Amino acid sequence: MKTSVVSNVASLLLAAGLSGQAGVAQAQPIAGPVSHEFVIPDFTTESGSVLPHARVMYGTYGTLNPAGDNAVLLPSHYMADMHGYEWLIGPGKALDPGKLFLVTSELFGNGRSSSPSNTPEPFHGPRFPVMTIRDNVRAVHQLLIEQLHVRHLRAVIGFSMGAQQALQWAVLYPDFMDRIVATSGTAKTYGHGIVRLDGQIAAITADAAFDGGDYKTEPATGIAATSMVWLGWLYSQEWWRRELWRGENPTGTTLTQAIDHMAREFFAGDDANDLILQMRTWQSNDVGNTPPFKGDVEAALRSIKVPVLYMPSATDLYFPVEDARYEAGFIAHCTFLPIPSLWGHPAGAGASPEDARFLNTHIAAFMGG
C-alpha cells in the first residue's frame, strides 16, 4: 500500500497536470496539513460489529482560535487522503488557513484510517465490516470533541462522498455547525448508483486472483477493469465529444493512449478490499435511515436546520443533478446552485480552472454570509 492514498479524481488531475487552482488567486503556497491519528477503543459500527481499535487519520490546517469558533470540517471523498481539498484551501481561496482551523478527515477504508488492508484478525481483508456514512460521521464527531475540543463548526464542506457526509452531519448533528456545503454528492444513493457500483465491484471480484478477498497478491486485472469502468462514468459525454482530454496530455497523444494513462492512474497502489469497502459505504448511504426517520429520506432532509449550499455538477453521471434537485426541495434553507461544467463528477472538486473559480467564489460568499 502506498504511503499517501489519493482519490481517483485527485490522481487523475495530478497525472494530467491539473490542480483545480489555476485562475484562483493565491498569495503563497499553503502549509500543511499536519497529520494526526485518533483511535477509538471498541467502536461499535452500525452493523453491530465492534472494532477494538478504530483508527481515524486526519489533517489540520491553521489554528483553532481561543473562542473555538473558526473550525471547518472537510470530510474526505472516495479513497482520498487529508490533501483532498487543496483546491479550496489557501490565501485568496474560499478557505484561508490563516483565519480558519480546517480539519480534513479520512474515511474508513482508505488504507490509512482503519481498513480491510491494515486491520488485524478477525476483521482483516473481506471480514472488515461495511462502514456506513453515519459510522464515519459518528467517529469524526467523537474525534472533534475528545481530541480537538471542537464543539461547534463554522461549516462542514464536502465533495462526493464528502458531500454525503456533510448532509449526514446536518441530519445527525443538526446544531453542531452553522452551514453545510455539498458538491457533487447526494444525501442518498439511489438505485442507479447502486447498480453502477455493483458493476464496478464485479469487475474486481471477477478476477480469479481475488479469491473471495483472500488474495495473496493484488488482483491487478480486476483493479484495472474497475478503473476502466470508473473512467467511463467520470466525465460527461460532451467532455469526450469535445475531446477536452487533449488539453491535459502531451501533443500527439491518441485517445487510446489518454484512456490507458488515465485508467492506470486511478487506483495505482490501492488495495482491492479497501476499494470495495468504500464502494459499499457509498452504496449504503441514506440519511433517511438515521433514527428516528425510519427510512424516510424526505423527512430527514426536512429536519435540516442550517443553511445548505447545494452544488451538484450539471453533468455528473455519478450523482445526477436531478437527484440533487429532488433532495434540495425538502431542505428549508437551501441554495441550489449547479456547477455549469462539462467535467462531470470532478467538477465538484475544481477539475478545471473555471470550476475552481466558480466553487471558490460561491463558497467564499456563502461562508461570509
Side-chain angles (χ1 to χ4, degrees), residues 7-272:
S7 72
N8 58 307
V9 171
S11 293
L12 202 53
L13 299 182
L14 289 169
L18 287 174
S19 65
Q21 298 175 6
V24 179
Q26 182 171 353
Q28 60 189 44
I30 60 172
V34 178
S35 180
H36 307 269
E37 177 182 77
F38 179 64
V39 178
I40 306 174
D42 298 324
F43 181 75
T44 302
T45 71
E46 198 167 79
S47 65
S49 297
V50 179
L51 291 176
H53 303 284
R55 186 168 70 252
V56 180
M57 301 298 296
Y58 69 100
T60 57
Y61 302 77
T63 304
L64 186 66
N65 65 15
D69 63 359
N70 69 330
V72 175
L73 175 66
L74 299 127
S76 68
H77 35 102
Y78 185 78
M79 295 305 290
D81 69 7
M82 63 185 68
H83 296 268
Y85 286 93
E86 292 184 351
W87 50 275
L88 196 59
I89 298 171
K93 297 186 183 179
L95 305 178
D96 185 347
K99 301 175 182 178
L100 298 169
F101 179 56
L102 308 175
V103 181
T104 53
S105 60
E106 299 187 7
L107 280 162
F108 290 124
N110 79 332
R112 288 166 42 86
S113 291
S114 289
S115 306
S117 65
N118 64 16
T119 301
E121 297 182 2
F123 295 116
H124 60 296
R127 286 155 287 275
F128 193 87
V130 172
M131 308 295 274
T132 65
I133 290 294
R134 269 180 303 281
D135 286 330
N136 282 275
V137 169
R138 288 192 302 108
V140 174
H141 181 262
Q142 189 170 342
L143 178 166
L144 290 172
I145 291 174
E146 294 182 9
Q147 190 162 80
L148 295 179
H149 308 293
V150 170
R151 298 189 176 276
H152 192 79
L153 293 165
R154 186 168 294 186
V156 182
I157 301 173
F159 158 70
S160 190
M161 289 183 79
Q164 293 178 330
Q165 292 170 81
L167 292 163
Q168 181 63 73
W169 269 93
V171 173
L172 190 59
Y173 301 110
D175 299 310
F176 200 84
M177 76 296 298
D178 294 330
R179 53 184 62 82
I180 294 289
V181 179
T183 76
S184 294
T186 55
K188 177 178 177 176
T189 302
Y190 299 95
H192 193 241
I194 292 171
V195 170
R196 172 183 63 80
L197 288 159
D198 271 339
Q200 289 162 337
I201 292 169
I204 297 176
T205 60
D207 186 340
F210 182 72
D211 193 24
D214 286 316
Y215 40 85
K216 303 300 184 291
T217 59
E218 289 291 340
T221 300
I223 291 175
T226 206
S227 298
M228 191 61 75
V229 177
W230 206 271
L231 178 58
W233 288 83
L234 187 63
Y235 298 112
S236 73
Q237 294 94 338
E238 192 170 357
W239 187 91
W240 290 101
R241 180 175 63 78
R242 293 194 184 188
E243 299 187 345
L244 297 184
W245 55 269
R246 289 190 181 277
E248 317 310 328
N249 288 275
T251 301
T253 300
T254 67
L255 175 61
T256 299
Q257 289 170 334
I259 290 172
D260 178 68
H261 175 66
M262 288 187 287
R264 280 188 287 105
E265 290 296 326
F266 271 127
F267 303 128
D270 288 329
D271 177 82

Side-chain angles (χ1 to χ4, degrees), residues 287-330:
V287 297
N289 289 332
T290 308
F293 299 108
K294 301 179 180 179
D296 189 340
V297 67
E298 296 175 6
L301 292 169
R302 288 191 192 100
S303 76
I304 294 175
K305 299 179 180 180
V306 298
V308 175
L309 177 58
Y310 205 160
M311 301 180 76
S313 166
T315 54
D316 197 341
L317 300 179
Y318 289 176
F319 296 98
V321 66
E322 289 307 319
D323 288 349
R325 192 186 308 277
Y326 159 75
E327 292 183 351
F330 302 102

